[in-house]
Amino acid sequence: MKESDMIDHRRLGRDLELFVSDPLAGAGLPIWLPAGAAARHAVEEYVRELERRAGYRHVYSPPLGKRELFELSGHLGYFADDMFPPMRLSADDEFVLRPALCPHHALVFRARGRSYRELPLRVAEIGGMYRAERSGVLGGLSRVRAISLNDAHNFCALEQVGDEVREILRLIREAHAALGVRPAGFRLSLRGPGEKYVGDDADWARAEELLRAALGGMEYHEGPGEAAFYGPKIDIQIVDAAGRESTISTVQLDFDKPERFDLSYTDADGRRKRPVMVHRSLVGSMERLFAYLIEVHAGAFPAWYAPVQLVLLPVDDGQADAAVALARRAEAAGLRAEVDLAGSLGARIRDVARRKVPYAGVIGRREAADGSVALRLRDGRGLDPMPAADALRLVGAVVAARSADLLPSA
Ligand SMILES: [Zn+2]
């Protein structure tokens, strides 16, 4: 078997029961099983927390909307081939599954008058959107038709764009470090000759300059002519186990949608001004992110988002009660813990390793008697028996630090 088959996320996703693709549900519409959902939930909580601390405001918006919304946004004009056909309720009532969250977030900005004091206004959501991908290109989580995007739209004045993009890049680096994402490269997409662009030349030149400055000191590739018609962007690329490159994080300036949605704020001098919209994603869609994380970690996630963090293994039935009681304490301490009672101890230890669970806690007669547990780490290291409270503190510290190591740093 080839190395790339061993770490194919589809195979690992099946073996570790992370997600399932059922033809009855439809190609490109995977279902997240409890283990995959637990890992994703931990990652989503982390991303929201990171954003909240950085001044983002989270919203919820529906994954479909009236046809007119997407005519106004331009998606039906430019992007219709990638969208599912509209759903007709009546002659004047048609809905489409959205291909992006920006139109709804523009409506959040427009929900009332805005002042320059509120800028940058950072509207964030891990939200659903849809792409009518052809069935031939679909596979596992990497190409799907239903997408949950870690998205935000930062509305700011043009002079704020430089600081805003620098801060976004800092958040991207922080999220990548915590998750174990190893970016393959940065691309700066710029205007090119012979293409049509919206927005005036001076704004474009300024925006391109600000993006270059925000990337200052980092290594990146410049792509003249690669920008969207509505603004320049920075893409952060990853490479999957099969060698395919794709974008995981993105920072896109947009001069077009503020115009289309007639967005404005009142500036310090009392005049109405047009904000710039920055589309950004720290970690991309949950689907593509997990396709990548499953492969890059070969299923052995860092403890903080491992589906199950601790499996307790009584040596025999006499210690079952002690194991169950410790699992309850672990859960009460916020950990994801299980007890495995069935089969020989050796077989259970092998099963914990097969499932890539970071910690196994073995409880024999002596441990049950004195309230201790012997931790075995996923990498094969074994620790001497320690009081149960110390073991929970150890695992809790590694999880809280979002460390890639399984022992707390001294
Ligand atoms: Zn957007």
Side-chain angles (χ1 to χ4, degrees):
M1 192 174 291
K2 292 198 314 262
E3 174 84 4
S4 62
D5 291 335
M6 295 292 291
I7 52 173
D8 182 330
H9 81 272
R10 286 166 296 189
R11 184 192 157 86
L12 282 163
R14 200 167 43 238
D15 292 351
L16 300 173
E17 296 184 50
L18 299 174
F19 65 92
V20 66
S21 300
D22 190 314
L24 186 58
L29 298 166
I31 301 163
W32 295 68
L33 298 172
R40 171 174 160 179
H41 189 92
V43 167
E44 289 191 354
E45 271 193 333
Y46 162 69
V47 169
R48 287 200 192 92
E49 174 71 15
L50 180 67
E51 290 173 341
R52 194 161 47 239
R53 287 170 189 271
Y56 285 75
R57 308 290 167 86
H58 290 95
V59 299
Y60 291 107
S61 59
L64 79 171
K66 281 191 73 131
R67 178 190 186 105
E68 289 78 357
L69 176 61
F70 299 93
E71 278 168 353
L72 179 62
S73 71
H75 285 100
L76 277 169
Y78 290 99
F79 207 66
D81 288 350
D82 294 311
M83 294 169 64
F84 282 92
M87 292 171 278
R88 190 167 191 184
L89 285 186
S90 64
D92 55 357
D93 219 9
E94 279 192 76
F95 291 86
V96 296
L97 289 170
R98 67 181 173 189
L101 279 66
C102 349
H104 284 99
H105 290 188
L107 298 183
V108 170
F109 185 90
R110 227 172 67 165
R112 63 167 167 78
R114 299 290 178 184
S115 150
Y116 71 98
R117 288 190 194 87
E118 293 177 82
L119 305 186
L121 184 76
R122 307 179 180 99
V123 178
E125 179 173 7
I126 298 174
M129 55 184 241
Y130 297 85
R131 292 271 160 97
E133 302 271 13
R134 307 284 154 244
S135 52
V137 303
L138 300 170
L141 294 176
S142 47
R143 283 288 278 277
V144 293
R145 287 167 163 159
I147 297 162
S148 308
L149 187 66
N150 157 236
D151 204 5
H153 295 89
N154 303 11
F155 301 88
C156 44
L158 185 58
E159 59 270 19
Q160 295 173 321
V161 165
D163 285 345
E164 194 61 16
V165 172
R166 240 188 315 278
E167 171 67 2
I168 292 167
L169 292 175
R170 188 189 69 75
L171 292 172
I172 287 173
R173 280 192 296 269
E174 188 173 335
H176 286 180
L179 290 159
V181 173
R182 295 190 281 270
F186 286 62
R187 304 171 72 86
L188 174 60
S189 299
L190 305 167
R191 276 179 307 179
E195 306 279 339
K196 272 211 151 79
Y197 299 97
V198 302
D200 62 64
D201 273 358
D203 284 354
W204 265 86
R206 179 92 190 276
E208 292 183 346
E209 224 25 73
L210 290 168
L211 289 188
R212 254 197 215 101
L215 284 166
M218 300 166 68
E219 218 174 281
Y220 64 95
H221 162 87
E222 275 196 14
E226 288 175 6
F229 69 89
Y230 52 84
K233 64 173 173 169
I234 297 168
D235 284 328
I236 295 134
Q237 305 297 105
I238 49 168
V239 177
D240 71 10
R244 283 180 302 247
E245 190 174 301
S246 58
T247 300
I248 192 159
S249 314
T250 184
V251 188
Q252 164 90 62
L253 303 196
D254 189 342
F255 300 116
D256 181 48
K257 278 177 204 68
E259 205 64 49
R260 287 174 176 272
F261 282 89
D262 191 24
L263 304 183
S264 67
Y265 62 93
T266 307
D267 208 353
D269 59 9
R271 286 218 288 257
R272 267 166 49 101
K273 292 230 175 101
R274 188 83 71 217
V276 180
M277 192 170 175
V278 181
H279 311 248
R280 55 103 279 198
S281 181
L282 302 183
V283 294
S285 72
M286 289 301 127
E287 291 78 14
R288 182 173 290 171
L289 174 66
F290 268 90
Y292 173 81
L293 293 176
I294 292 167
E295 292 184 357
V296 83
H297 295 298
F301 297 134
W304 69 270
Y305 64 93
V308 174
Q309 294 160 326
L310 172 63
V311 173
L312 292 157
L313 304 173
V315 172
D316 61 46
D317 284 352
Q319 297 89 49
D321 288 349
V324 169
L326 185 50
R328 294 264 154 78
R329 276 176 70 186
E331 283 169 345
L335 299 173
R336 293 183 289 279
E338 284 179 3
V339 180
D340 187 357
L341 296 165
S344 74
L345 181 63
R348 284 179 284 151
I349 286 175
R350 281 194 297 280
D351 193 56
V352 171
R354 184 193 63 76
R355 293 168 64 201
K356 321 269 188 189
V357 175
Y359 302 95
V362 179
I363 301 178
R365 199 174 306 167
R366 199 173 334 142
E367 287 79 25
D370 69 5
S372 64
V373 60
L375 288 183
R376 293 176 61 98
L377 313 188
R378 182 171 56 199
D379 56 20
R381 283 178 288 176
L383 306 183
D384 291 334
M386 66 178 85
D390 291 358
L392 295 186
R393 236 188 326 268
L394 183 153
V395 177
V398 170
V399 167
R402 297 196 186 87
S403 165
D405 294 326
L406 296 179
L407 290 177
S409 48

